[in-house]
Amino acid sequence: MSDSNRTTRGIGVRRRLARAGAALAVLVGALAGATATSGVAQAAAQGPCDVYAAGGTPCVAAHSTTRALYARYAGPLYQVRRSSDQALRDIGVLSTGGYADAAAQDAFCAGTTCVITVIYDQSGRSNHLTQAPGGGAASGPDNLADAAAAPTTLNGHRAYGVYVAPGTGYRNNHTSGIATGDQPEGMYAILDGTHYNGGCCFDYGNAETSSNDTGNGHMEAIYFGNIKVWGYGTGPGPWVMADLENGLFSGANTGYNANDPTVNHRYLTAMVKGAPNQWAIRAGDARSGGLSTFYSGPRPNASGYNPMHKEGAIILGIGGDNSKGARGTFYEGVMTAGYPSEATENAVQADIVAAGYANSPATAGAVRGTGSGKCLDVPNASATAGTQAQIYTCWGGANQTWTRTADGQLTVNVSGSTLCLDAYGGATADGTKVVTWPCNGGANQQWRFNADGTVTGVPSGRCLDVAGAAVADSTPVQLWSCWGGDNQKWTLG
């Protein structure tokens, strides 16, 4: 053996040992997680993209508005545009490899509203997501997400997700390194498992570069929602499925997969991956535990899905042809080159759990209507379930003191009973009464405080509304389609 051969062989051995050591370090680092001390954001020892790289399936797109996805990433996470003067501001991290600098957004957007204009790609490939153009299913450009509509915390540090209301969408049709044809790839997204609908299609992943439906197998994206037109799983939904174009697949073929359960974790890890005649769905609670495999097997046997014809665009919140009737909330997600192993994905899940996603802390006080100046009030401090809430002159009573809980409820203590603000009967239509009811954890008792001052019901997306835009004492409140009126705007505190 020549000296050069010995040198080459020695380098190969060292490289294999280095890769093995890196993979072990990733697993240990991911399981150990990151910590925050003395209010200072600490960089993670490893991020999810470091885990994927160690597993031989590097990230080729990495999007997050909440944190760095590489331990050494120190660039911008996203960009916001201020409505008052159209000024732009990049929002970065508090420290290298750390959490989003939410305070920078709050200061920049104070006294006005902001939208998210760019979600930067941290992989270095410039696969940034921007406002989606029109497509075959719907004209565009699509709406941009309210920058403050999805508050969250990570290990106690405030951040904001991407709140996708119907009509909102992001896209990149000119990417680098994203799988095309039948090339293997993986992807994950962290989503709000309580924010969804049956519209088409809340997706994140690989789509057509023309914004048009170009046929079966031209997409491979994570879908989340409860539509049943194509595939579906057990229970009422929502389900994690794959949008492969002209079909949402829960398993081997179009239709029912008994192994794809309803999943509605407040923070949800959703994964889809695909390779030649092989694909899988995995998911789990992003705050604890591991991943479950809902499907792993061959491609659907319908024409066009084996081999696949992926085109390599990236979408968020919409379908491949710009179908934009869905809703959801996105916090972070990546796409990889290559088909990740389950061991790698399990280590990524451990990193996600260690990131410490949690709801924003509870706050309390009067809920005051912007249009009327009056307070959300329980009539006569009644503890009777089903009492319709109203507005009334603010006077500081217990029946006007509301607590916004970490789970998104609005609670009030009246006559010794703690009750929740509730969309009566779980209804979602315009005119649904908003009442007080014993707290039961239902989605119809969850409310979102949005940056524009509206308070929306989670299942309906409709606004807490003072009936008829009246300002008189004892005017009832209800659900109504959001239209921007002052009778739909509130402050808490």
Side-chain angles (χ1 to χ4, degrees), residues 7 94 97 116 149 163 169 189 244 268 282 311 317 474:
T7 300
L94 291 168
I116 298 172
Y163 185 91
L244 305 181
L268 170 71
R282 305 188 77 201
E311 297 187 25
S474 303

Side-chain angles (χ1 to χ4, degrees), residues 186-258:
M187 62 194 77
Y188 84 80
I190 306 303
L191 310 172
D192 179 346
T194 69
H195 186 211
Y196 61 91
N197 69 1
C200 182
C201 292
F202 184 70
D203 290 350
Y204 172 72
N206 195 323
E208 294 96 336
T209 56
S210 64
S211 301
N212 292 294
D213 179 350
T214 52
N216 295 2
H218 284 247
M219 287 183 63
E220 186 165 64
I222 297 165
Y223 164 80
F224 182 67
N226 67 343
I227 193 170
K228 294 182 70 173
V229 173
W230 298 281
Y232 59 98
T234 56
W239 307 284
V240 177
M241 297 192 285
D243 191 341
L244 305 181
E245 192 52 280
N246 296 323
L248 300 175
F249 290 87
S250 62
N253 300 299
T254 299
Y256 175 65
N257 174 14

Side-chain angles (χ1 to χ4, degrees), residues 1-76:
M1 183 183 296
S2 68
D3 289 342
S4 62
N5 286 338
R6 289 191 186 96
T7 300
T8 300
R9 184 173 181 180
I11 291 171
V13 170
R14 289 194 294 274
R15 285 176 175 167
R16 288 193 294 273
L17 288 172
R19 284 196 297 268
L24 178 60
V26 165
L27 290 170
V28 172
L31 290 170
T35 60
T37 58
S38 303
V40 178
Q42 303 297 307
Q46 299 287 339
C49 284
D50 301 308
V51 178
Y52 278 119
T57 52
C59 293
V60 289
H63 305 108
S64 176
T65 57
T66 62
R67 64 169 180 149
L69 301 178
Y70 294 83
R72 294 186 178 181
Y73 187 76

